[in-house]
Amino acid sequence: NAGVTQTPKFQVLKTGQSMTLQCAQDMNHEYMSWYRQDPGMGLRLIHYSVGAGITDQGEVPNGYNVSRSTTEDFPLRLLSAAPSQTSVYFCASRTHGQGNQPQHFGDGTRLSIL
Amino acid sequence: ILNVEQSPQSLHVQEGDSTNFTCSFPSSNFYALHWYRWETAKSPEALFVMTLNGDEKKKGRISATLNTKEGYSYLYIKGSQPEDSATYLCASVMDSNYQLIWGAGTKLIIKP
């Protein structure tokens, strides 16, 4: 039972490069989300999706794009990496509902932008 | 964005002692309160999701209570063990948009 799988686990980029962080879940969860975690701060929501074909912005969406073509996959794209995007990124999923179900997290991607 | 606050920020506890810490959240439009345990180099794992005022949940030596009228939840750990060392996160859900608003966490360190 894989749960939520994120790749890569680590990545170093140069300023201006683009890349895609992959996220896949095998639990048939409708709701998926991307967070970034920075020291001394709580998890901050970047983008989320309540189902295939539907995405929406979270608290800190600038500089990131997402798409949800299937229920299983929710990739996060950095269009032109900036040092301020150095962070640990977590993908999470849950059954769609009203927030009374626990979220399942991937193992995270540690991203450094030089 | 309404804040969720956790206190203390960090806590050192002797092995075998019991401890507790607090999550404060906006009481208006409350829908649910989540607790997660986050061990170093791992991903957060759900402990509890609570929705009702006065709710109390327990998992082994860990329990949590909820007061939605005053906007706080306590997490208790009885007889702390080294494997309890982790950051404990809480998140509040409001019924306006059902998004989780996260606290910054309480880092618990158990001293042998």
Side-chain angles (χ1 to χ4, degrees):
Chain A
N1 187 3
V4 180
T5 302
Q6 282 184 242
T7 57
K9 293 192 185 304
F10 303 94
Q11 185 70 49
V12 179
L13 292 177
K14 294 182 179 178
T15 298
Q17 285 186 312
S18 63
M19 80 160 293
T20 299
L21 279 61
Q22 301 292 343
C23 176
Q25 53 90 11
D26 61 0
M27 297 171 283
N28 203 31
H29 285 169
E30 294 170 299
Y31 182 97
M32 295 185 75
S33 54
W34 276 101
Y35 293 93
R36 60 178 290 172
Q37 199 276 323
D38 300 294
M41 305 184 72
L43 292 165
R44 291 187 292 169
L45 183 65
I46 304 171
H47 285 284
Y48 67 96
S49 168
V50 298
I54 306 169
T55 63
D56 208 344
Q57 296 181 348
E59 181 186 354
V60 289
N62 292 340
Y64 308 94
N65 274 359
V66 290
S67 60
R68 185 93 180 270
S69 56
T70 66
T71 299
E72 294 77 20
D73 299 300
F74 191 44
L76 177 73
R77 296 183 187 85
L78 280 71
L79 306 174
S80 179
S84 61
Q85 293 178 304
T86 293
S87 187
V88 181
Y89 291 85
F90 286 97
C91 178
S93 72
R94 70 172 193 247
T95 55
H96 182 40
Q98 294 145 334
N100 60 357
Q101 297 298 315
Q103 292 206 145
H104 299 259
F105 286 85
D107 288 338
T109 295
R110 188 174 295 275
L111 184 62
S112 294
I113 314 296
L114 304 178
Chain B
I1 301 292
L2 298 175
N3 287 335
V4 173
E5 297 183 353
Q6 293 187 246
S7 62
Q9 189 174 10
S10 64
L11 189 57
H12 289 73
V13 173
Q14 197 69 39
E15 182 178 353
D17 287 352
S18 297
T19 188
N20 65 85
F21 28 92
T22 307
C23 174
S24 301
F25 54 87
S27 56
S28 59
N29 304 114
F30 172 83
Y31 188 78
L33 193 283
H34 293 228
W35 280 102
Y36 292 78
R37 185 168 100 172
W38 190 2
E39 295 181 64
T40 302
K42 295 186 178 181
S43 55
E45 291 184 352
L47 288 172
F48 308 112
V49 180
M50 297 185 288
T51 58
L52 299 177
N53 185 46
D55 217 0
E56 182 171 344
K57 296 212 172 182
K58 188 175 181 181
K59 183 183 290 188
R61 295 179 291 99
I62 304 176
S63 61
T65 60
L66 179 66
N67 183 321
T68 62
K69 296 187 188 304
E70 296 180 48
Y72 64 84
S73 175
Y74 293 136
L75 190 80
Y76 300 90
I77 301 178
K78 185 177 179 181
S80 303
Q81 299 298 309
E83 59 265 30
D84 296 328
S85 294
T87 296
Y88 291 82
L89 299 172
C90 71
S92 173
V93 182
M94 298 170 63
D95 62 8
S96 53
N97 62 10
Y98 303 118
Q99 296 302 331
L100 274 67
I101 307 299
W102 296 85
T106 292
K107 185 173 184 178
L108 177 65
I109 299 166
I110 306 302
K111 300 179 288 185

